[in-house]
Amino acid sequence: MALSNKYKQRKLRILVANDNIFQILVISNSIKILGYVERIDEALNGQEALELVIQNEVNFLNGKERLYDLIFLDLDMPIKNGYEACKLIQKHYKHIQ
């Protein structure tokens, strides 16, 4: 997997949301092996993912951290599934340029 020079120069902030902890570990460890990761946050359902996105946005607006570069969402999760979480996350990121 080749990444552009833009991403080789800066480490990525990633969110992985999946209700299966084993799958979270597989995804997270696979990404870490590539070496382009600053931080990976993990959520066990769509609601947790949405809450992490909202907190990330607050921290971004306060100058404390960057927004997520990449979000992995399992589509079939409890509480809020990946489809619902994706729609709500898009609404949050819509106004951020």
Side-chain angles (χ1 to χ4, degrees):
M1 175 179 177
L3 292 177
S4 70
N5 287 336
K6 174 184 173 183
Y7 292 108
K8 287 181 181 179
Q9 294 171 359
R10 89 168 190 199
K11 301 279 186 175
L12 301 177
R13 304 218 43 243
I14 298 171
L15 170 61
V16 178
N18 195 310
D19 60 327
N20 183 321
I21 191 69
F22 177 74
Q23 289 180 357
I24 287 177
L25 292 172
V26 169
I27 293 167
S28 296
N29 288 333
S30 297
I31 294 168
K32 287 176 186 175
I33 289 171
L34 296 174
Y36 302 118
V37 177
E38 175 186 319
R39 187 171 99 196
I40 298 177
D41 293 334
E42 301 167 351
L44 293 173
N45 59 61
Q47 182 62 40
E48 285 183 18
L50 179 61
E51 290 169 6
L52 285 170
V53 166
I54 292 168
Q55 186 59 52
N56 177 249
E57 181 182 8
V58 168
N59 290 340
F60 169 76
L61 294 172
N62 289 325
K64 294 181 181 178
E65 62 184 35
R66 291 192 344 261
L67 294 173
Y68 289 116
D69 296 296
L70 186 61
I71 299 174
F72 288 93
L73 288 172
D74 178 15
L75 298 179
D76 186 24
M77 293 183 287
I79 304 175
K80 262 193 201 358
N81 66 38
Y83 294 108
E84 295 167 326
C86 185
K87 287 179 187 176
L88 294 169
I89 289 168
Q90 285 176 328
K91 286 181 184 178
H92 271 277
Y93 280 162
K94 196 174 216 171
H95 69 281
I96 297 174
Q97 299 286 327

